[in-house]
């Protein structure tokens, strides 16, 4: 095609007349300013080419306009105001053709916003700028107006100029959001620096501008955090908290430059805090984001800010582990900057290649006016190329209005079409995936996913088809549950929205604010059920079909066991008529019969797609039609069930076999128990216990008698609702029996992980696991253990405890006896005095209205008779907990190591808040916290829930090596059979009969276990608060001299005379000889 010619039409006016019109405007009075300016604009338009000819070199018009606007003489303010009126008139009269010239006056007009001549010039400049920016196309706003405004935000500018420039940026962000989004890396640092400006108008305009600019961020993961990010940039005290919020964000979309732009200033401030945990988290976030970026161009603008900060942290931080994290971030950021592992990047549009493409369509004259207009159009075309704009209307809008001054209208449209064809070569078309049409496609999307500071999936593809059942598998903490929640919350980029595809996430949750409702009312109150217009009759019918009786439907939802809660969740999902079911551990808490029901139900869903995360390999074997594996940050789909998948991927065997686990747990070994020399001697027991739940007409359990010792390896089994968890709660003191006795050795320490384990940590989600354990044991005793029903006195019990009683004591010389009515204030400790009696222990007592130094020792049976039984248990618990504190001081490094021994990496244990963790990680936190004080007995209620196969294998090994007793409840027969030779079989209660317990076990094993002796191990070393390992030296016994022996005999005689001598308590064994 022959090039079109572009040239400025011949001038019809004269330069001297143009100069005279301009001079008339400059000298005009206030009353004639408008008319003179309009006459000048009319002459400019008539000069030729819709006014562009007036800007030829010969007229020197641009030089004259700049000269007047650059003036600073306060006395010549009227001249500047008149010239601004002329510019306004030209814009209104000549339109788009003169924009390429007048836009060059923006820097001068921005300075005039602070003109010393007064409000007149300032207002005129503001009005002219608003008009000019409003007339520009979106692309011209990006390429010309925005750089001009950003250039006037510096500290060397007056505040009026800064405030006016920010107002214009707000206008640009509102009118051209897509274009301003691509300029965020340059815009945000300059604007954020003014959020704390001393001038209120500047700070306010900066906040408005940055909020409007951030509205252009289309990343749905970052958008909810924008208010917090802006607030943190404005208030430095919020920086640390905002960094933790950012670390907790689940990213499922590709992170681009506009999303990074608002986070980098925050990270910069995080590095400036010089606090190691904050700097470490910033480094982890940078590493995380760099992995999610797909184009080097998105990272390059931030390299001058981030790389020096990371390199400095790598050299200066004292913590070696934190330095390692910073080093990894440096490596990853460098890889992203160099495009390592990324697809070829689409080229950034540049002026020279764009003009070269233009020259294939048009032949432009070489005069200054034509060149200015062509370059103005070319820069707008660059913005279209970068945006991959291929619509002809968009190209017409940046070509035709300006070229009509250089050629006719029809040719201008043809030129715009030619420009698009040539410039299309500069755009890289996105690769399209070939669709599979064998079955109905429910979704086919590409996305990325991160959890906290860890990248889980990067630019991977998820394809789902109707009626298939997908098992989602992968190694420990690879993101299975996070992916399911992201899908359910609509956070997966490209996944069909809820109005197109109904997706239901099945989880056995009971909302606390609704826990008082009946089962039917609880489901009916669910917003998801209400949105489906499900009547109550259908709710009752569906729940009955999954096994709920009429009594259960009317009963409180809070009384449901874990198994029934899962069935309730499945029933709720059935009522929502889902297209896709997301099931996270659907067989958790379920017995064999109910597991079979779940399998049959899922296999019957021919028109519903299921994604299943489960550690029950039998379920995946019998239900799944496909397996989706998470491996190397990608999703890989395999046809067939679990066994067929393992044949193709043998390394995945460790996901499902306990013996294949490479992970190791290490339980802290229990200390010695006073009076316990045999592992078979009971240290916890229940005798003929009965318990009835409030509002129930018959007991849940009756005539329960059990024994637990250091050699116990007990599995408590039975169907859902049989009372297994009730027995455990009675044994641990969580609830009190109405009949029977429950006893625990006073110094015995018990670790208890409840069935609904998260209740231990639900009030501490803002703490890290390390901080939680330090809080829980900060005073030496276990705070969680002191809030059980068996240790919290009721008002009636407190009244009995405060009853006065008569106490007798003797004076120091033993010659005088006193008696007085006293009231016990508190118990402070205990000691063992006599063996083989009920009064094995005495407790130190303080009285009300007596000095703190006045303490006495009272026997256990006396204090129990006075109603102090619960306080006795509390003292026992405190003493038992504190006795373990010497072995492992409560320091951050010791807690971190302990968490790693329970399978929680320090990245999550020390640097992530509990609320950010997955279900499996939270269970590990609860288990680690319970194990901190070296327990003698570990009680685990449904430990297999949420733990993957690798963790279960590690747990089984740890139990095998543990020197204390184990009691666990589980429906996972593979797990219980591998660790427990003894079983407690619960028979479920009927409408008339309570549940009953039958103890069974390997008789030969139990006989040998009873004989095993306790090996008394002396503490040989400990780690202090500074991480130093200290050798504990054995105290050498020193023989008493003859004089010392006589002195001791006189002392003992006096003690015996006063009734104060207690064998074994007043001195060492040597002293008693």
């Amino acid at each position: 095609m022959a090039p079109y010619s572009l040239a400025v039409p011949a001038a019809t006016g004269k330069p001297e007349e143009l100069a005279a019109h301009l001079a008339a405007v400059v000298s005009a009075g206030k009353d004639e300013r408008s008319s003179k300016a309009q006459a000048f604009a009319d002459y400019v338009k008539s000069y030729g080419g819709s006014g562009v000819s007036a800007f030829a070199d010969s007229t020197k018009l641009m030089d004259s306009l700049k000269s007047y606007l650059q003036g600073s003489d306060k006395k010549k303010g009227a001249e500047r105001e008149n010239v601004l009126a002329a510019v306004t008139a030209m814009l209104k009269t000549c339109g788009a053709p003169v924009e390429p010239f007048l836009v060059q006056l923006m820097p001068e007009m921005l300075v005039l916003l602070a003109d010393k001549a007064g409000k007149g010039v300032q207002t005129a400049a503001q009005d002219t700028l608003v008009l000019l920016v409003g007339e520009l196309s979106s692309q011209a706003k990006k390429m010309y107006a925005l750089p001009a405004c950003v250039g006037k935000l510096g500290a060397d500018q007056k505040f009026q100029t800064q405030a006016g420039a920010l107002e214009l940026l707000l206008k640009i962000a509102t009118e051209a959001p897509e274009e301003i989004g691509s300029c965020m890396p340059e815009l945000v640092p300059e604007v954020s620096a003014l959020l704390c400006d001393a001038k209120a108008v500047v700070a306010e305009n900066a906040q408005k501008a940055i909020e409007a600019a951030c509205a252009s961020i289309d990343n749905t993961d970052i958008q909810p955090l924008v208010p917090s990010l802006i607030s943190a940039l404005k208030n430095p005290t919020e920086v640390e908290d905002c960094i933790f919020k950012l670390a907790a964000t689940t990213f499922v979309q590709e992170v681009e430059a506009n999303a990074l732009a608002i986070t980098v200033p925050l990270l910069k401030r995080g590095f400036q805090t010089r606090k190691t945990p904050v700097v470490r988290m910033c480094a982890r976030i940078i590493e995380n984001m760099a992995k999610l970026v797909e184009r080097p161009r998105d990272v390059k603008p931030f390299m001058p800010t981030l790389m020096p900060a990371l390199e400095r942290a790598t050299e200066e931080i004292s913590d070696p582990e934190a330095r390692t994290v910073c080093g990894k971030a440096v490596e990853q950021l460098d890889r992203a900057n160099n495009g390592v592992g990324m697809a070829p990047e689409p080229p950034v549009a540049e002026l020279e290649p764009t003009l070269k493409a233009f020259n294939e369509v048009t032949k432009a004259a070489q005069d200054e006016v034509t060149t200015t207009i062509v370059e103005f159009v070319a820069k707008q075309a660059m913005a279209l190329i970068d945006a991959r704009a291929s619509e002809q209307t968009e190209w017409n809008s940046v070509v035709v209005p300006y070229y009509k001054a250089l050629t006719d209208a029809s040719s201008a449209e043809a030129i715009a079409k030619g420009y698009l064809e040539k410039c299309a070569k500069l755009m890289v078309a996105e690769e399209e995936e070939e669709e599979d049409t064998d079955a109905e496609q429910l979704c086919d999307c590409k996305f990325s996913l991160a959890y906290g500071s860890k990248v889980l999936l990067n630019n991977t593809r998820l394809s789902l088809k109707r009626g298939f059942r997908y098992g989602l598998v992968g190694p420990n903490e690879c993101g299975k549950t996070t992916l399911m929640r992201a899908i359910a919350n609509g956070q997966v980029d490209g996944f069909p929205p809820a109005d197109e595809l109904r997706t239901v996430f099945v989880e056995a949750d009971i909302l606390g604010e609704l826990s008082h409702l009946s089962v039917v009312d609880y489901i009916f109150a669910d917003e998801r059920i209400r949105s489906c217009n499900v009547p109550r009759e259908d709710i009752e019918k569906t729940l009955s079909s999954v096994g709920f009786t009429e009594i259960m439907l009317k009963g409180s939802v809070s009384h449901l066991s874990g198994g029934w809660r899962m069935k309730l969740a499945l029933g709720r999902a059935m009522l929502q008529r889902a297209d896709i079911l997301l099931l996270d551990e659907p067989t958790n808490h379920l017995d064999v019969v109910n597991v079979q029901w779940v399998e049959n139900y899922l296999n019957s869903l021919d028109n519903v797609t299921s994604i299943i995360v489960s550690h029950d390999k039998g379920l995946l074997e019998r239900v799944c039609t496909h397996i989706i594996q998470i491996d190397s940050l990608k999703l890989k789909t395999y046809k067939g069930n679990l066994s067929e998948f393992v044949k193709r991927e043998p390394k995945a065997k460790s996901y499902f076999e306990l013996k294949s686990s490479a992970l190791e747990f290490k339980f802290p070994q229990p200390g010695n128990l006073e009076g316990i020399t045999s592992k078979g001697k009971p240290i916890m027991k229940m005798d003929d216990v009965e318990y009835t739940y409030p509002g129930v007409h018959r007991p849940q359990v009756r005539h329960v008698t059990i024994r637990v010792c250091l050699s116990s390896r007990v599995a408590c089994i039975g169907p859902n609702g049989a009372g297994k968890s009730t027995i455990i709660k009675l044994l641990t003191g969580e609830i009190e029996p109405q009949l029977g006795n429950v006893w625990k050795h006073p110094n015995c320490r018990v670790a208890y992980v409840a069935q609904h384990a998260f209740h231990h940590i639900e009030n501490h989600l803002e703490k890290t696991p390390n901080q939680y354990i330090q809080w829980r044991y900060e005073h030496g005793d276990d705070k969680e253990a002191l809030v059980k029903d068996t240790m919290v006195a009721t008002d009636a019990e407190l009244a009995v405890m405060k009853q006065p009683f008569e106490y007798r004591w003797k004076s120091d010389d033993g010659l005088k006896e006193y008696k007085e009515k006293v009231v016990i204030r508190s118990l402070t400790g205990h000691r063992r005095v006599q063996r083989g009696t009920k009064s094995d222990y005495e407790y130190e007592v303080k009285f009300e209205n007596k000095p703190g130094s006045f303490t006495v020792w009272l026997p256990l049976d006396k204090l129990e008779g006075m109603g102090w039984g619960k306080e006795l248990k509390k003292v026992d618990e405190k003493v038992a907990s504190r006795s373990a504190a010497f072995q492992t001081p409560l320091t951050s490094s010791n807690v971190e190591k302990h968490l790693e021994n329970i399978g929680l990496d320090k990245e999550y244990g020390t640097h992530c808040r509990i609320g950010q963790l997955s279900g499996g990680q939270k269970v590990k936190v609860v288990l680690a916290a319970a194990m901190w004080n070296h327990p003698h007995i570990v009680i685990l209620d449904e430990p297999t829930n949420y733990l993957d196969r690798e963790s279960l294998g590690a747990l089984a090994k740890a139990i095998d090596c543990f020197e204390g007793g184990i009691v666990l409840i589980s429906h996972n027969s593979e797990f219980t059979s591998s660790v427990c030779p003894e079983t407690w079989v619960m028979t479920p209660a009927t409408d008339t009969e309570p549940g009953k317990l039958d103890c069974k076990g390997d008789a030969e094993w139990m006989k040998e276990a009873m004989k095993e002796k306790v090996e008394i191990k002396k503490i040989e070393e400990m780690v202090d608060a500074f991480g130093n390992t200290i050798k504990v030296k054995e105290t050498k016994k020193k023989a008493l001299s003859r004089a010392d022996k006589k002195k001791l005999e006189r002392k003992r005689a006096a003690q015996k005379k006063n009734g104060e001598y207690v064998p074994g308590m007043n001195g060492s064994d040597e002293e008693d000889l």
Side-chain angles (χ1 to χ4, degrees):
M1 179 177 67
Y4 290 89
S5 296
L6 298 176
V8 180
T12 57
K14 297 180 180 180
E16 56 272 19
E17 292 181 4
L18 181 64
H21 276 285
L22 179 59
V25 173
V26 171
S27 61
K30 184 176 181 181
D31 294 337
E32 55 182 359
R33 177 184 300 149
S34 178
S35 60
K36 294 289 185 181
Q38 186 59 52
F40 170 72
D42 291 338
Y43 188 79
V44 168
K45 185 175 183 179
S46 66
Y47 204 90
S50 299
V52 299
S53 298
F55 290 92
D57 288 344
S58 58
T59 66
K60 305 295 182 182
L61 178 58
M62 281 298 297
D63 292 340
S64 299
L65 293 173
K66 283 187 178 183
S67 177
Y68 284 119
L69 294 178
Q70 289 173 349
S72 59
D73 191 341
K74 192 173 182 179
K75 296 178 181 180
K76 294 184 178 180
E79 293 183 2
R80 294 190 288 276
E81 193 171 349
N82 291 343
V83 171
L84 288 169
V87 173
T88 299
M90 282 190 286
L91 282 169
K92 293 179 178 178
T93 303
C94 303
V98 299
E99 289 175 9
F101 305 95
L102 298 184
V103 76
Q104 300 175 41
L105 301 175
M106 279 194 68
E108 287 77 14
M109 290 190 285
L110 284 164
V111 172
L112 292 181
L113 294 173
D115 193 83
K116 293 184 291 184
K119 286 287 184 182
V121 179
Q122 295 174 10
T123 302
Q126 181 71 24
D127 293 342
T128 305
L129 284 166
V130 170
L131 176 63
L132 174 59
V133 172
E135 292 296 321
L136 294 174
S137 67
S138 295
Q139 291 72 30
K141 287 182 173 72
K142 171 186 175 180
M143 304 302 292
Y144 287 93
L146 193 143
C149 291
V150 171
K152 294 300 179 181
L153 296 180
D156 58 332
Q157 301 296 323
K158 295 182 179 180
F159 80 90
Q160 297 96 329
T161 296
Q162 292 174 325
L166 289 167
E167 284 187 19
L168 292 175
L169 288 174
L170 173 61
K171 180 179 178 66
I172 295 170
T174 304
E175 296 177 357
E178 293 182 2
E179 301 302 332
I180 204 168
S182 61
C183 301
M184 291 282 282
E186 298 81 21
L187 177 65
V188 172
E190 300 295 334
V191 178
S192 62
L194 299 177
L195 287 172
C196 302
D197 196 87
K199 294 293 184 179
V201 64
V202 175
E204 291 172 6
N205 287 357
Q207 179 148 351
K208 292 177 182 177
I210 201 167
E211 287 175 351
C214 288
S216 67
I217 299 175
D218 57 0
N219 188 307
T220 56
D221 309 320
I222 288 290
Q223 269 293 351
L225 291 173
V226 166
S228 297
L229 290 165
I230 295 175
S231 181
L233 293 176
K234 189 174 182 180
N235 303 297
T237 56
E238 300 177 11
V239 168
E240 293 182 31
D241 188 59
C242 192
I243 285 174
F244 277 102
K245 287 183 180 179
L246 183 63
T249 302
T250 302
F251 290 99
V252 294
Q253 293 182 312
E254 178 185 342
V255 177
E256 298 178 338
N258 58 356
L260 288 169
I262 192 61
T263 61
V264 168
L266 176 75
L267 296 173
K268 180 181 178 181
R269 294 193 180 185
F271 281 112
Q272 291 170 345
T273 65
R274 298 298 180 91
K275 294 182 179 180
T276 298
V278 178
V279 172
R280 183 191 180 283
M281 187 60 73
C282 289
R284 186 63 80 186
I285 292 170
I286 291 170
E287 180 187 5
N288 181 27
M289 287 189 161
K291 289 179 180 177
L292 292 170
V293 170
E294 290 295 319
R295 300 178 302 179
R297 74 165 72 170
D298 290 322
V299 176
K300 287 186 183 299
F302 310 107
M303 292 297 291
T305 300
L306 296 180
M307 187 59 83
L310 278 172
E311 290 175 341
R312 185 168 56 251
T314 304
E315 296 174 357
E316 297 178 358
I317 291 180
S318 59
D319 184 355
E321 190 274 338
R323 288 201 305 271
T324 301
V325 172
C326 293
K328 290 180 179 178
V330 169
E331 293 176 6
Q332 185 59 46
L333 190 62
D334 187 62
R335 287 170 59 87
N337 185 50
N338 294 320
V340 177
M342 298 182 185
E345 183 181 15
V348 178
E350 296 179 352
L351 183 60
E352 186 176 344
T354 305
L355 289 174
K356 186 176 181 180
F358 277 18
N359 291 336
E360 296 181 33
V361 180
T362 56
K363 183 178 182 180
Q366 298 303 305
D367 61 88
E368 185 176 344
V369 172
T370 305
T371 300
T372 299
I373 295 174
V374 172
E375 286 190 2
F376 185 80
V377 172
K379 286 190 175 182
Q380 293 183 82
M382 288 164 56
L384 292 174
I385 292 169
D386 285 337
R388 306 294 177 262
S390 57
E391 292 292 329
Q392 187 62 56
T393 53
E394 294 179 280
W395 284 79
N396 287 348
S397 68
V398 302
V399 175
V400 175
Y402 308 101
Y403 276 12
K404 68 181 182 181
L406 305 178
T407 186
D408 58 88
S410 59
S411 296
E413 291 184 3
I415 290 171
K417 185 177 181 181
Y419 279 177
L420 173 57
E421 291 176 359
K422 297 300 180 181
C423 290
K425 299 176 182 178
L426 303 177
M427 306 180 202
V428 177
E430 294 188 10
E431 182 181 352
E432 295 185 0
E433 295 284 348
E434 187 176 339
E435 294 187 1
D436 184 356
T437 57
D438 292 340
E440 181 184 355
Q441 194 84 41
L442 295 183
C443 90
D444 187 10
C445 54
K446 271 190 172 183
F447 63 97
S448 295
L449 175 69
Y451 189 86
S453 55
K454 182 178 181 181
V455 177
L456 302 174
L457 295 169
N458 187 25
N459 198 31
T460 190
R461 178 187 178 190
L462 175 65
S463 177
L464 301 175
K465 299 175 183 177
R466 186 175 295 279
F468 290 171
R469 297 178 294 279
Y470 300 90
L472 183 59
V473 303
N476 190 34
E477 298 172 357
C478 66
K480 299 182 289 293
T481 300
T482 304
L483 173 59
M484 301 261 278
R485 289 193 180 277
I487 293 173
N489 295 334
Q491 295 175 302
V492 171
D493 192 23
F495 197 90
D499 56 353
E500 295 180 14
L501 200 66
R502 183 169 293 176
T503 304
V504 177
F505 187 44
V506 180
E507 53 184 341
D509 58 330
I510 299 296
L511 300 177
E513 62 270 21
L514 302 177
S515 61
H516 62 286
L517 299 176
S518 69
V519 170
V520 174
D521 290 339
Y522 178 81
I523 296 296
F524 192 69
D526 193 305
E527 292 297 329
R528 293 165 291 184
I529 297 297
R530 289 184 175 276
S531 65
C532 296
N533 298 317
V534 179
R536 291 180 65 90
E537 294 75 17
D538 287 358
I539 295 175
E540 294 179 3
K541 183 178 178 181
T542 300
L543 293 181
S544 297
S545 70
V546 301
F548 282 84
T549 65
E550 186 174 347
I551 295 176
M552 294 175 70
L553 291 175
K554 296 178 181 178
S556 173
V557 71
S558 62
H559 290 166
L560 293 178
S561 66
W564 284 106
R565 290 186 183 192
M566 181 54 71
K567 295 187 76 173
L568 182 69
L570 288 167
R572 178 173 55 191
M574 293 167 63
L575 289 164
Q576 295 178 63
R577 303 178 182 86
D579 294 303
I580 297 178
L581 280 179
L582 307 173
L583 301 108
D584 189 6
E585 302 293 353
T587 57
N588 269 4
H589 309 288
L590 298 183
D591 53 27
V592 176
V593 174
N594 286 311
V595 168
Q596 182 63 51
W597 177 88
V598 171
E599 291 177 1
N600 293 338
Y601 170 68
L602 292 175
N603 286 327
S604 68
L605 299 176
D606 297 328
N607 206 37
V608 178
T609 298
S610 304
I611 303 179
I612 307 164
V613 172
S614 179
H615 298 121
D616 183 350
K617 63 180 182 181
L619 176 73
L620 299 179
E621 179 72 21
R622 293 185 288 271
V623 170
C624 294
T625 61
H626 294 75
I627 298 294
I628 300 176
Q629 181 191 21
I630 298 179
D631 183 40
S632 301
L633 307 183
K634 300 292 182 182
L635 294 177
K636 301 177 182 178
T637 303
Y638 299 83
K639 186 176 182 180
N641 62 7
L642 184 60
S643 59
E644 294 176 12
F645 162 68
V646 172
K647 289 178 183 178
R648 297 180 61 182
E649 293 288 337
K651 68 177 183 178
K653 191 176 182 181
S654 62
Y655 302 163
F656 313 103
E657 291 191 2
L658 297 179
K659 293 181 180 179
S660 298
S661 174
L663 183 67
E664 287 189 3
F665 287 1
K666 292 181 181 179
F667 286 174
Q669 296 303 330
N672 301 321
L673 276 176
E674 193 172 16
I676 303 299
T677 59
S678 169
K679 286 191 174 183
K681 186 174 182 179
I683 56 177
M684 298 181 75
K685 60 183 179 180
M686 294 200 303
D687 290 311
D688 203 26
V689 164
E690 178 179 307
Y691 181 77
T692 305
Y693 279 105
V696 181
H697 67 280
R698 52 106 178 111
Q700 178 69 24
V701 294
R702 177 185 288 170
H703 301 313
V704 174
T705 299
I706 55 178
R707 299 287 185 270
V708 181
C709 59
L710 290 173
S711 62
S712 292
R713 292 293 185 273
V714 181
C716 186
I717 61 176
N720 292 125
K724 303 183 296 297
S725 296
T726 302
I727 288 178
I728 297 302
K729 289 180 180 179
L730 287 166
L731 183 63
T732 57
E734 296 285 323
I735 56 178
E736 285 190 278
Q738 284 89 18
L739 295 175
N741 297 314
V742 179
W743 174 87
K744 176 175 74 71
H745 188 289
N747 289 343
C748 175
R749 296 183 293 273
V750 179
Y752 173 48
V753 178
Q755 183 182 66
H756 308 293
F758 300 159
H759 89 271
H760 295 282
I761 55 176
E762 61 189 7
N763 295 324
H764 306 278
L765 301 181
E766 293 302 311
K767 294 184 177 73
T768 66
N770 198 317
Q771 291 170 341
Y772 166 67
I773 292 178
Q774 292 187 62
W775 166 86
R776 181 166 165 176
Y777 293 94
E778 64 182 337
H779 300 306
D781 43 66
D782 184 357
K783 292 180 181 178
E784 297 278 355
L786 302 180
V787 294
K788 299 174 183 176
D789 287 350
T790 54
M791 294 187 192
V792 179
T794 64
D795 292 339
E797 290 170 333
L798 287 172
V800 173
M801 293 162 59
K802 293 303 179 182
Q803 291 295 319
F805 71 100
E806 185 177 281
Y807 178 69
R808 297 172 181 264
W809 74 96
K810 291 183 179 181
S811 61
D812 292 340
D813 56 12
L815 300 177
K816 192 173 181 180
E817 184 175 284
Y818 302 93
K819 66 177 181 178
E820 184 180 343
K821 288 280 188 178
V822 291
V823 175
I824 297 176
R825 183 174 69 199
S826 63
L827 308 181
T828 60
H830 73 210
R831 68 185 183 186
R832 194 176 190 199
V833 289
Q834 288 180 292
R835 302 187 180 188
T837 70
K838 182 175 176 61
S839 297
D840 273 6
Y841 288 87
E842 286 184 343
Y843 290 79
E844 189 176 22
V845 175
K846 289 186 177 182
F847 297 123
E848 292 185 358
N849 302 319
K850 294 290 183 184
S853 60
F854 187 89
T855 62
V856 300
W857 294 88
L858 297 180
L860 180 146
D861 55 349
K862 183 176 181 67
L863 289 168
E864 281 186 336
M866 296 167 60
W868 282 80
K870 289 187 175 180
E871 284 298 311
L872 296 177
K873 292 180 180 179
K874 187 179 292 187
V875 170
D876 292 343
E877 193 70 43
K878 288 184 176 182
V879 173
S881 293
R882 290 173 183 174
S883 65
F886 179 75
Q887 298 182 49
T888 315
L890 188 66
T891 64
S892 180
S893 58
N894 284 342
V895 174
E896 183 177 276
K897 184 177 180 181
H898 175 69
L899 287 165
E900 288 184 320
N901 287 340
I902 310 296
L904 193 67
D905 186 81
K906 56 190 170 187
E907 178 66 34
Y908 301 103
T910 302
H911 305 289
C912 280
R913 295 179 179 180
I914 294 174
Q916 304 167 15
L917 302 181
S918 66
Q921 292 167 331
K922 288 179 180 177
V923 169
K924 292 175 183 176
V925 173
V926 175
L927 180 59
M931 297 293 295
W932 172 256
N933 64 348
H934 296 252
H936 299 95
I937 301 296
V938 178
I939 300 177
L940 307 172
D941 194 346
E942 297 285 7
T944 57
N945 295 341
Y946 299 103
L947 291 180
D948 58 20
R949 305 291 294 186
E950 189 177 19
S951 297
L952 284 180
L955 180 60
K957 292 178 184 177
I959 289 174
D960 186 55
C961 299
F962 184 54
E963 295 291 334
I966 298 288
V967 178
L968 60 87
I969 297 175
S970 178
H971 292 115
N972 188 326
S973 59
E974 179 187 6
F975 180 73
T976 56
S977 62
S978 69
V979 297
C980 296
E982 184 181 356
T983 56
W984 296 342
V985 182
M986 276 300 303
T987 302
T990 64
D991 289 340
T992 58
E993 291 294 325
K996 296 180 181 179
L997 179 69
D998 183 18
C999 297
K1000 300 179 180 181
D1002 184 333
E1004 191 63 29
W1005 176 88
M1006 295 172 71
K1007 181 179 179 181
E1008 291 300 319
M1010 291 294 289
K1011 295 179 181 179
E1012 189 176 356
K1013 296 295 181 181
V1014 174
E1015 182 182 353
I1016 299 177
K1017 297 180 180 179
K1018 295 180 179 180
I1019 299 175
E1020 296 179 350
E1021 63 180 33
M1022 61 167 286
V1023 180
D1024 67 12
F1026 299 99
N1028 303 310
T1029 300
I1030 300 173
K1031 300 292 183 180
V1032 180
K1033 297 181 180 179
E1034 185 177 355
T1035 304
K1036 294 182 178 180
K1037 297 179 180 179
K1038 183 178 179 181
L1040 295 176
S1041 66
R1042 179 181 296 180
D1044 289 336
K1045 287 182 179 179
K1046 287 186 176 182
K1047 185 178 179 181
L1048 179 61
E1049 287 174 1
R1050 289 194 296 270
K1051 178 182 176 182
R1052 287 284 183 265
Q1055 288 176 333
K1056 290 176 180 179
K1057 182 179 179 181
N1058 296 331
E1060 297 175 353
Y1061 176 63
V1062 179
M1065 291 305 301
N1066 296 73
S1068 68
D1069 292 338
E1070 280 192 349
E1071 289 180 280
D1072 291 333
L1073 290 176

